[in-house]
């Protein structure tokens, strides 16, 4: 392996270690012992969820053809985005497992599409049920659903695997709403300081989306390559992690709800969430910002391998993935320092994060025009690829800042009564966008796709600026007032 990869990895590792070790009292949030126990309990569960080998990375049909069957890295990166040691173990083996069962690239593409489609169709339903029936119960349902999805990987039957993808999509919707909703509600129910939430968020991303991802990837490789247990082994290990996490949830978590009104059906819950988004500009802006950033992030996952190896250069996918995760850890470490202070506000520094993200994804376009293209097939990474890799690491660091920061903003602006429902509403445009990308990645040059992502991120920075301006503006109407108004209104009155 080239020295360049080790230099980048070593530099990032040194910076992360330096940031963590150099924290002083000003960079730390003074908390209480009860909070620390609560935080550690949540981090244990979150890390177990994230360690599960993700069984539902979503890959485009066209990308399979374009990027030599999407090697370990893309699958692993998709894993990172989609799930929690259960989540990260499966990533590199999904495509390989399906191909071992003899399915064509088109059939495998349909399986991946099913995951996002399922999340889009059922996300708002399961989110509303989480608010109504209880977030702890929804987290347990997530564990059970994903365990069932892992079990389906033992079958070579296409219909069974499709069922597993649908279950995985439903579980993903729960993952991205129920856990965070439970945490926020429980945090405030126990009377903890609001600023302490940022500490839990940043630690969750640092551990679950960074360190655990790297360790789980190595463990999955050990099971398959060293132990020769086959490509299904990571899924079985994921199920074990999920079962352990579920046991912790059942034994130590208490239940909390959004709006427990007994006379409120799902349709009313959907309507209330939609009204909340439409009536509060801050919630609408937050949803748009999240969709734009995550849409760009998913697209990046599909594109970085062909961007670094346009002439089929030999690149160490697994090592680069580990480097990306280290960059994400760097970002979460920076976020923890920023959120430990009252200034700058999250709404302020995220403008800069989005601009830097946009600039980092412009590098593939810039290098196309400024760096002479190599005409030799194969070989090691090119000079252009080295520049792009540095840019991609910068983007991953921005991702590491984004996650805890968007979590903090969601905790501030989304009403507790419909938190899970609204969070899944935010994912509808994201899932639609990803499904479109999955079918059309190969229809456009890679520079066009990166340009689109850069534009999305720049727009996100503009919307973030607007959110900063109105951040202290009081809500036009609170949740209870909206409920009372809707209850008094005639069902068919559109005047």
């Amino acid at each position: 392996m080239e020295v360049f990869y080790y230099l980048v990895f070593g530099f990032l590792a040194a910076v992360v270690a330096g940031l963590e070790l150099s924290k002083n009292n000003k960079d730390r949030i003074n908390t209480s012992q009860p909070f620390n126990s609560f935080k550690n309990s949540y981090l244990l569960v979150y890390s177990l969820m994230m360690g599960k080998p993700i069984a539902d990375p979503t890959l485009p049909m066209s990308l399979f053809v374009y990027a030599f069957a999407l090697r370990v890295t893309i699958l692993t990166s998709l894993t990172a985005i989609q799930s929690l040691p259960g989540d990260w173990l499966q990533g590199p083996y999904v495509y390989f497992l399906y191909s071992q069962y003899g399915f064509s690239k088109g059939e495998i593409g349909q399986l991946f599409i099913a995951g996002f489609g399922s999340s889009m169709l059922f996300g708002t339903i399961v989110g509303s049920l989480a608010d109504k029936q209880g977030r702890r119960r929804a987290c347990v349902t997530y564990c059970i659903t994903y365990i069932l999805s892992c079990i389906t990987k033992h079958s070579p039957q296409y219909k069974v695997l499709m069922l597993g993808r649908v279950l995985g999509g439903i579980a993903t919707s729960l993952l991205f709403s129920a856990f965070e909703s439970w945490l926020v509600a429980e945090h405030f129910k126990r009377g903890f300081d609001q600023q302490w939430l940022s500490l839990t968020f940043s630690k969750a991303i640092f551990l679950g989306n960074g360190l655990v991802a790297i360790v789980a990837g190595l463990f999955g490789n050990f099971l398959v390559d060293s132990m020769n247990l086959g490509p299904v082994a990571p899924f079985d290990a994921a199920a074990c992690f999920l079962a352990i996490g579920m046991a912790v949830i059942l034994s130590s978590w208490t239940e909390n709800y959004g709006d427990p009104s007994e006379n409120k059906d799902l349709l009313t819950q959907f309507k209330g969430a939609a009204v909340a988004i439409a009536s509060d500009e801050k919630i609408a802006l937050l949803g748009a910002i999240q969709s734009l950033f995550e849409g760009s992030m998913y697209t990046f996952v599909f594109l970085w391998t062909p961007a670094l190896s346009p002439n089929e250069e030999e690149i160490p996918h697994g090592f680069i993935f580990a480097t990306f995760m280290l960059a994400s850890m760097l970002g979460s470490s920076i976020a923890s320092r920023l959120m430990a202070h009252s200034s700058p506000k999250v709404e302020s520094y995220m403008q800069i994060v989005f601009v830097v993200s946009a600039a980092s994804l412009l590098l593939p376009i810039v290098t196309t025009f400024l760096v002479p293209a190599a005409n030799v097939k194969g070989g090691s990474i090119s000079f252009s690829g080295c520049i792009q890799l540095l840019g991609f690491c910068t983007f991953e660091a921005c991702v590491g800042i984004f996650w805890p920061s968007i979590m903090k903003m969601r905790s501030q602006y989304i009403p507790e009564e419909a938190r899970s429902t609204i969070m899944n509403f935010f994912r509808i445009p994201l899932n639609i966008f990803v499904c479109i990308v999955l079918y059309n990645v190969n229809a456009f040059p890679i520079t066009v796709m990166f340009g689109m992502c850069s534009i999305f991120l720049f727009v996100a920075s503009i919307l973030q600026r607007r959110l900063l301006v109105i951040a202290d503006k009081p809500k036009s109407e609170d949740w209870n007032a909206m409920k009372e108004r809707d209850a008094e209104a005639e069902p068919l009155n559109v005047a």
Side-chain angles (χ1 to χ4, degrees), residues 407-467:
M407 289 174 176
K408 181 176 182 180
M409 288 190 287
R410 286 195 297 241
S411 72
Q412 294 173 342
Y413 299 130
I414 299 179
E416 179 59 37
E417 294 84 352
R419 185 177 301 277
S420 294
T421 308
I422 293 175
M423 287 173 64
N424 276 297
F425 260 102
F426 288 171
R427 293 188 61 79
I428 292 177
L430 168 65
N431 284 315
I432 293 175
F433 172 75
V434 171
C435 286
I436 294 174
V437 170
L438 291 179
Y439 278 106
N440 296 283
V441 168
N442 206 32
F444 301 98
I446 194 170
T447 52
V448 172
M449 300 297 289
F450 275 114
M452 177 191 68
C453 291
S454 186
I455 292 173
F456 282 0
L457 293 168
F458 182 72
V459 172
S461 71
I462 296 175
L463 298 181
Q464 185 67 52
R465 173 63 181 175
R466 173 59 183 170
L467 182 59

Side-chain angles (χ1 to χ4, degrees), residues 142-200:
Y142 162 79
C143 296
I144 295 173
T145 305
Y146 226 126
I147 288 173
L148 292 175
S149 178
C150 290
I151 292 174
T152 63
K153 299 301 180 290
H154 284 272
S155 173
Q157 298 297 317
Y158 190 78
K159 292 182 179 179
V160 176
L161 295 173
M162 181 64 75
L163 174 63
R165 292 293 302 166
V166 172
L167 290 172
I170 295 172
T172 298
S173 296
L174 289 169
L175 170 66
F176 280 100
S177 57
F179 286 87
E180 183 179 328
S181 297
W182 179 89
L183 171 65
V184 174
E186 194 69 18
H187 181 95
F188 291 119
K189 186 170 75 173
R190 299 191 183 198
F192 297 138
D193 190 284
Q194 180 175 351
Q195 190 183 17
W196 296 356
L197 257 180
S198 61
L199 179 61
T200 307

Side-chain angles (χ1 to χ4, degrees), residues 189-242:
K189 186 170 75 173
R190 299 191 183 198
F192 297 138
D193 190 284
Q194 180 175 351
Q195 190 183 17
W196 296 356
L197 257 180
S198 61
L199 179 61
T200 307
F201 289 147
S202 60
K203 286 297 182 182
I205 301 304
F206 185 87
L207 294 174
N209 286 27
L211 184 61
V212 170
I214 297 173
V215 174
L218 295 174
F219 182 55
N221 185 72
F222 172 76
L223 293 175
V224 175
D225 295 339
S226 301
M227 298 291 290
N228 295 317
L229 296 178
V232 179
F235 296 91
D236 294 336
C240 293
F241 280 116
L242 289 166

Side-chain angles (χ1 to χ4, degrees), residues 23 26-29 195 198 202 330-346 348-350 352-353 401-402 405 408:
K23 284 184 178 179
K26 293 182 179 180
D27 299 319
R28 300 180 188 275
I29 300 175
Q195 190 183 17
S198 61
S202 60
L330 171 61
S332 63
S333 183
I334 294 174
S336 68
R337 283 187 173 232
L338 291 171
M339 291 190 292
H341 301 82
S342 58
S343 179
K345 297 175 62 176
V346 175
S348 178
Y349 71 71
M350 282 306 296
I352 301 174
V353 171
I401 300 175
F402 168 80
S405 300
K408 181 176 182 180

Side-chain angles (χ1 to χ4, degrees), residues 104 107 131 137 142 154 176 201 245 276 302 394 419 462 483:
S104 66
E107 290 172 323
D131 288 328
R137 189 173 298 169
Y142 162 79
H154 284 272
F176 280 100
F201 289 147
F302 303 145
T394 303
R419 185 177 301 277
I462 296 175
K483 288 199 300 180

